[in-house]
C-alpha cells in the first residue's frame, strides 16, 4: 500500500492505493479515497501514541487487502502530529534499519528504466556527472522493486522534496541525460556553460520522447498530451536557473580564456509584456496584472495545449517557455 496525492477540481486530494502483480508487470488500483486531509483519520489516545481510525481497517478488510499495522501507519505518517513524529523518530529509525526489503534479487533491479535509475542516483549522491551509474550497486535501486509505475512516480514526488532550489534545474538536466547531446568535456559537470538555446530545444525533445515511451509507462496508458507526472519537470526546468558556484564559474572562465575564439552564446532579445501576451493568448494589460502564481498556472495549461505531442508546433512551444521565463523574472 502507498499514499497517493493527486489533483481533482483544482484541489489536492489523497487516496490509499496498492501495486499488484499482473502477468509481467505491476499495476495500481485505488483502495480508499481519503479526501483532502488524511490526518482526519488519525486518533491520539494519549502519550506519544496514535492509531488509524477503525473505519480504514474495516474498508481494507472488506477489500481483502493483506497488510500489517506498520505498513498502515507508514501510509499516514506524514500527517501525524509533529510532536508525535518527533517522539517516535528514534524508534522508527531503528525499525527501518532492520526492515526486510521486497527483493534481494540483483537481476530484477537491473531491469529498472534508466530514467528511474538516474533519479535515484542524483537524489542519493547529488552528482551531475553520472558517467559511472552503470557501476552503481543494484542495492541502490531496490526500493523501486515490485512497484507499479504510479507508485514509483508517487515515490519520486515525495523524494524530490529534499532538493534545494539551486539543485532543481541541474536535477532535470541530469535525469533527462541532456548532456549526451554535447561533445564539450564539461557537459557532464557544468551544464550552465552550454548553449542554453540548444539545451532548451533538446530538453523538449527528450521530455516528448519519454512521454511516448510505452515501456516506461507500463501499466499507465499513454496520453496524447504531456502526462501529469511529467508536467512538474517541464515547469521546474523553465522556472529555475542553475545553482551558482564560484569554483565552477572560475573553472569555466579559465577554460574560456584559454580559447581565444570562444564567444558566449548569443542572448535572445528580451520579451515584452505585449509579445508575451500574444504568445499566451491574453492582452498586454492582463499579462502585466498576473501574479507569479497565476502566470505559472497559465503556463501549465498552455504548455499542455501547445505540447508537440498534442500536435503543437515545436518552435512555438519553445517561445512559450522563453516568454514565461522572461516575464516571471520581471514580476516581483
Amino acid at each position: 500500500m502507498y499514499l497517493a496525492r493527486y489533483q481533482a477540481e483544482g484541489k489536492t486530494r489523497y487516496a490509499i492505493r496498492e501495486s499488484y502483480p499482473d502477468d509481467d508487470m505491476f499495476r495500481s488500483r485505488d483502495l480508499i479515497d481519503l479526501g483532502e486531509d488524511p490526518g482526519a483519520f488519525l486518533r491520539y489516545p494519549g502519550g506519544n501514541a496514535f492509531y488509524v481510525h477503525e473505519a480504514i481497517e474495516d474498508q481494507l478488510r472488506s477489500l481483502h487487502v493483506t497488510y500489517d499495522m506498520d505498513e498502515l501507519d507508514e501510509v499516514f505518517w506524514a500527517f501525524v502530529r509533529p510532536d508525535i513524529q518527533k517522539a517516535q523518530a528514534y524508534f522508527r529509525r531503528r525499525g527501518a534499519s532492520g526492515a526486510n526489503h521486497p527483493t534481494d534479487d540483483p537481476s530484477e533491479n537491473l531491469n529498472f528504466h534508466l530514467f528511474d535509475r538516474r533519479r535515484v542516483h542524483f537524489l542519493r549522491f547529488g552528482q551531475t556527472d553520472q558517467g559511472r551509474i552503470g557501476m552503481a550497486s543494484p542495492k541502490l535501486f531496490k526500493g523501486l522493486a515490485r512497484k507499479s509505475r504510479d507508485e514509483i512516480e508517487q515515490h519520486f514526488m515525495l523524494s524530490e522534496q529534499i532538493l534545494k532550489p539551486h539543485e532543481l534545474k541541474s536535477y532535470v538536466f541530469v535525469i533527462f541525460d541532456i548532456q549526451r547531446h554535447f561533445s564539450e568535456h564539461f557537459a557532464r559537470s557544468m551544464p550552465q556553460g552550454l548553449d542554453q538555446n540548444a539545451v532548451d530545444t533538446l530538453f523538449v525533445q527528450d521530455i516528448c520522447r519519454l512521454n511516448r515511451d510505452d515501456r516506461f509507462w507500463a501499466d499507465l496508458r499513454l496520453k496524447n498530451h504531456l502526462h501529469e507526472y511529467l508536467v512538474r519537470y517541464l515547469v521546474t526546468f523553465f522556472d529555475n536557473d542553475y545553482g551558482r558556484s564560484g569554483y565552477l564559474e572560475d573553472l569555466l572562465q579559465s577554460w574560456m580564456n584559454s580559447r581565444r575564439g570562444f564567444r558566449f552564446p548569443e542572448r535572445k532579445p528580451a520579451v515584452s509584456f505585449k509579445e508575451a501576451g500574444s504568445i499566451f493568448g491574453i492582452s498586454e494589460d492582463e499579462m502585466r496584472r498576473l501574479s507569479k502564481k497565476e502566470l505559472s498556472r497559465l503556463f501549465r495549461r498552455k504548455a499542455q495545449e501547445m505540447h508537440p505531442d498534442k500536435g503543437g508546433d515545436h518552435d512555438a512551444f519553445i517561445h512559450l517557455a522563453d516568454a514565461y521565463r522572461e516575464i516571471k523574472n520581471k514580476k516581483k
Side-chain angles (χ1 to χ4, degrees):
M1 294 189 306
Y2 63 98
L3 182 68
R5 184 181 67 187
Y6 64 99
Q7 296 293 317
E9 299 179 351
K11 297 181 179 180
T12 300
R13 298 181 63 88
Y14 299 86
I16 298 178
R17 294 176 183 166
E18 73 167 352
S19 298
Y20 64 94
D22 183 25
D23 292 332
D24 60 345
M25 70 172 64
F26 277 80
R27 298 184 182 276
S28 62
R29 65 167 178 158
D30 286 345
L31 297 177
I32 303 175
D33 183 7
L34 299 177
E36 298 176 37
D37 180 20
F41 296 93
L42 295 174
R43 299 293 181 266
Y44 302 94
N48 295 321
F50 76 93
Y51 66 89
V52 179
H53 195 282
E54 294 89 344
I56 298 295
E57 297 184 59
D58 292 341
Q59 290 188 60
L60 291 174
R61 279 194 293 269
S62 70
L63 294 169
H64 306 291
V65 175
T66 302
Y67 67 96
D68 59 44
M69 294 309 300
D70 288 340
E71 185 180 8
L72 186 59
D73 288 349
E74 183 64 31
V75 168
F76 285 88
W77 178 251
F79 294 88
V80 173
R81 273 177 15 203
D83 59 312
I84 304 297
Q85 288 187 357
K86 183 177 180 180
Q88 294 195 12
Y90 171 74
F91 301 99
R92 283 174 58 82
R93 285 196 298 269
R94 288 189 63 186
S97 64
N100 292 322
H101 293 284
T103 180
D104 287 317
D105 181 2
S107 63
E108 184 172 358
N109 292 284
L110 291 176
N111 290 327
F112 290 140
H113 197 284
L114 187 54
F115 186 69
D116 294 329
R117 296 171 65 196
R118 291 194 201 103
R119 288 190 285 183
V120 170
H121 192 278
F122 190 101
L123 292 170
R124 176 65 176 84
F125 301 110
Q127 296 176 346
T128 55
D129 185 352
Q130 293 194 348
R132 299 172 64 87
I133 191 172
M135 302 176 64
S137 169
K139 294 182 179 180
L140 181 64
F141 311 108
K142 67 167 56 180
L144 302 179
R146 306 181 64 80
K147 289 181 172 61
S148 64
R149 172 50 51 189
D150 183 77
E151 184 174 2
I152 289 174
E153 291 307 312
Q154 290 288 334
H155 164 81
F156 280 116
M157 286 173 60
L158 183 63
S159 301
E160 288 164 1
Q161 294 179 12
I162 69 170
L163 294 170
K164 297 178 174 59
H166 69 272
E167 296 177 307
L168 292 173
K169 186 160 187 171
S170 294
Y171 174 66
V172 178
F173 178 91
V174 169
I175 63 178
F176 281 91
D177 198 22
I178 302 175
Q179 58 83 22
R180 74 185 187 283
H181 300 291
F182 296 89
S183 60
E184 290 86 344
H185 68 88
F186 57 86
R188 291 181 181 273
S189 56
M190 292 187 293
Q192 57 267 60
L194 300 171
D195 180 344
Q196 295 305 303
N197 295 345
V199 170
D200 291 352
T201 299
L202 292 166
F203 167 65
V204 171
Q205 292 176 357
D206 286 340
I207 201 172
C208 289
R209 187 177 297 110
L210 184 63
N211 198 54
R212 297 189 296 266
D213 187 342
D214 55 355
R215 174 176 170 258
F216 175 77
W217 295 107
D219 60 304
L220 297 182
R221 293 193 306 176
L222 294 177
K223 300 186 177 182
N224 61 358
H225 58 79
L226 189 65
H227 199 287
E228 52 265 30
Y229 279 135
L230 292 182
V231 169
R232 74 181 186 276
Y233 293 128
L234 179 74
V235 175
T236 296
F237 186 81
F238 287 113
D239 203 25
N240 292 276
D241 294 319
Y242 300 108
R244 294 189 177 276
S245 168
Y247 170 75
L248 292 179
E249 290 173 354
D250 291 345
L251 190 61
L252 178 59
Q253 187 63 53
S254 175
W255 179 86
M256 290 187 296
N257 291 340
S258 69
R259 289 157 174 80
R260 297 178 58 186
F262 180 89
R263 293 185 180 182
F264 280 102
E266 183 178 351
R267 294 183 62 86
K268 299 176 182 177
V271 177
S272 68
F273 282 98
K274 183 177 181 179
E275 292 170 324
S278 176
I279 293 172
F280 277 87
I282 61 177
S283 68
E284 178 182 355
D285 289 341
E286 289 175 315
M287 178 59 70
R288 289 183 180 276
R289 289 197 298 267
L290 288 178
S291 65
K292 277 192 174 183
K293 186 175 181 179
E294 292 169 334
L295 177 63
S296 179
R297 189 180 302 119
L298 178 60
F299 173 64
R300 287 172 182 263
R301 188 175 75 248
K302 296 293 291 185
Q304 293 207 44
E305 292 174 0
M306 299 173 63
H307 195 274
D309 278 356
K310 202 174 181 182
D313 179 76
H314 179 273
D315 291 337
F317 189 82
I318 292 294
H319 291 324
L320 176 74
D322 288 341
Y324 168 67
R325 185 161 46 195
E326 285 273 348
I327 298 302
K328 178 184 69 71
N329 291 335
K330 290 181 180 180
K331 291 183 177 291
K332 300 295 184 182

